[in-house]
């Protein structure tokens, strides 16, 4: 029987089909029974971005997984004060998840070479398995940027956990840009998310 938990953090501003397709692919490849999307309150790496409100991003993530078996959304980072450091979220989940269950954090290929900038990353890499979904336009072959911060063994583990997920060229930036220009975002985001963005007038200004 499948077992284990995979957490997938992001600003989800908004959630799009790139997120959902790789989440499903990772769950299938790892044989995980529970996938938790974790919208971040104040992404430490994206403080220059204009974010939809936490309530809107949470609502859209919930709509996106409403009919997805095994998928759920956590508001843990939205309820916590301060920057959304992944290590704090992982520590909180680790306390609840039985020690014999596999425990993963999912990232995209654009994020992996920047991992050394994450808060307490050495501990993070040892506390859960960080699995990377490939992303078009981002090279995950050269991880030398991580070496000053992580041990060779840690970098090798990260490299081994790069999964051959489908390459989906969708970004939230492109979704926001299209909304601001009045272009269609059908097929880029789930239909219910598309309707939510329209009804709440999100992203009309870039
Ligand atoms: P933005 O365009 O606003 O920077 P984004 O599309 O990268 O947003 P995030 O919510 O920031 O979306 O992403 C959360 C996580 O999902 C990150 O680890 C990111 O690398 C990964 N991710 C997002 N889109 C894709 C995609 N199309 N393929 C693979 N990984 C992705």
């Amino acid at each position: 029987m499948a077992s284990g938990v995979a957490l997938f953090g992001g600003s989800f501003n908004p959630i799009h089909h790139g997120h959902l397709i790789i989440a499903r692919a990772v769950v299938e490849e790892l044989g995980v029974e529970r996938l938790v999307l974790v919208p971040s309150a104040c992404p430490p790496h994206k403080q220059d971005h204009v974010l939809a409100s936490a309530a809107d991003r949470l609502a859209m993530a919930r709509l996106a997984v409403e009919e997805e078996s095994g998928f759920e959304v956590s508001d843990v980072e939205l309820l916590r004060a301060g920057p959304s450091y992944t290590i704090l979220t992982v520590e909180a989940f680790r306390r609840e998840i039985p020690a014999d269950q596999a425990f993963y954090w999912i990232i995209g290929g654009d994020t992996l070479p920047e991992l050394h900038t994450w808060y307490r990353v050495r501990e993070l890499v040892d506390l859960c398995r960080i699995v990377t979904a490939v992303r078009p336009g981002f090279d995950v072959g050269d991880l030398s940027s991580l070496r000053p911060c992580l041990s060779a063994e840690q970098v090798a583990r990260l490299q081994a956990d790069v999964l051959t997920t489908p390459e989906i060229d969708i970004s939230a930036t492109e979704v926001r840009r299209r909304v601001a220009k009045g272009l269609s975002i059908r097929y880029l985001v789930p239909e219910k998310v598309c309707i939510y963005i329209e009804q709440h007038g999100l992203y009309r200004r870039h």
Side-chain angles (χ1 to χ4, degrees), residues 12-72:
F12 301 123
N13 182 38
I15 190 157
H16 53 68
H17 276 136
H19 296 127
L20 294 165
I21 291 169
I22 63 162
R24 178 54 71 195
V26 169
V27 160
E28 287 176 356
E29 183 153 345
L30 299 175
V32 163
E33 64 184 0
R34 190 172 160 215
L35 183 286
V36 187
L37 295 171
V38 189
S40 52
C42 180
H45 302 91
K46 293 193 178 177
Q47 291 182 354
D48 53 335
H49 281 209
V50 177
L51 275 186
S53 72
D56 283 332
R57 292 181 295 112
L58 182 65
M60 291 189 282
R62 286 191 170 140
L63 286 172
V65 302
E66 232 170 34
E67 282 151 44
E68 279 294 310
S69 123
F71 282 27
E72 61 190 92

Side-chain angles (χ1 to χ4, degrees), residues 22-166:
I22 63 162
R24 178 54 71 195
V26 169
V27 160
E28 287 176 356
E29 183 153 345
L30 299 175
V32 163
E33 64 184 0
R34 190 172 160 215
L35 183 286
V36 187
L37 295 171
V38 189
S40 52
C42 180
H45 302 91
K46 293 193 178 177
Q47 291 182 354
D48 53 335
H49 281 209
V50 177
L51 275 186
S53 72
D56 283 332
R57 292 181 295 112
L58 182 65
M60 291 189 282
R62 286 191 170 140
L63 286 172
V65 302
E66 232 170 34
E67 282 151 44
E68 279 294 310
S69 123
F71 282 27
E72 61 190 92
V73 181
S74 166
D75 58 4
V76 64
E77 293 193 354
L78 302 176
L79 299 176
R80 201 168 61 215
S84 293
Y85 292 124
T86 299
I87 183 85
L88 303 181
T89 306
V90 166
E91 283 174 340
F93 272 89
R94 187 72 277 187
R95 282 192 286 273
E96 286 172 18
I97 295 167
D100 62 344
Q101 286 219 6
F103 186 37
Y104 305 94
W105 183 274
I106 303 171
I107 58 172
D110 53 317
T111 305
L112 182 58
E114 298 170 0
L115 211 61
H116 60 289
T117 65
W118 285 25
Y119 182 55
R120 292 170 53 198
V121 66
R122 292 181 73 98
E123 289 164 78
L124 178 66
V125 169
D126 290 337
L127 203 54
C128 63
R129 259 176 77 184
I130 298 190
V131 292
T132 302
V134 289
R135 190 166 189 177
F138 294 93
D139 179 17
V140 287
D142 177 15
L143 297 185
S144 51
S145 57
L146 305 182
R147 219 15 219 110
C149 216
L150 298 174
S151 70
E153 187 271 328
Q154 286 176 314
V155 176
R157 258 193 283 138
L158 289 167
Q159 190 88 69
D161 276 331
V162 175
L163 305 180
T164 48
T165 46

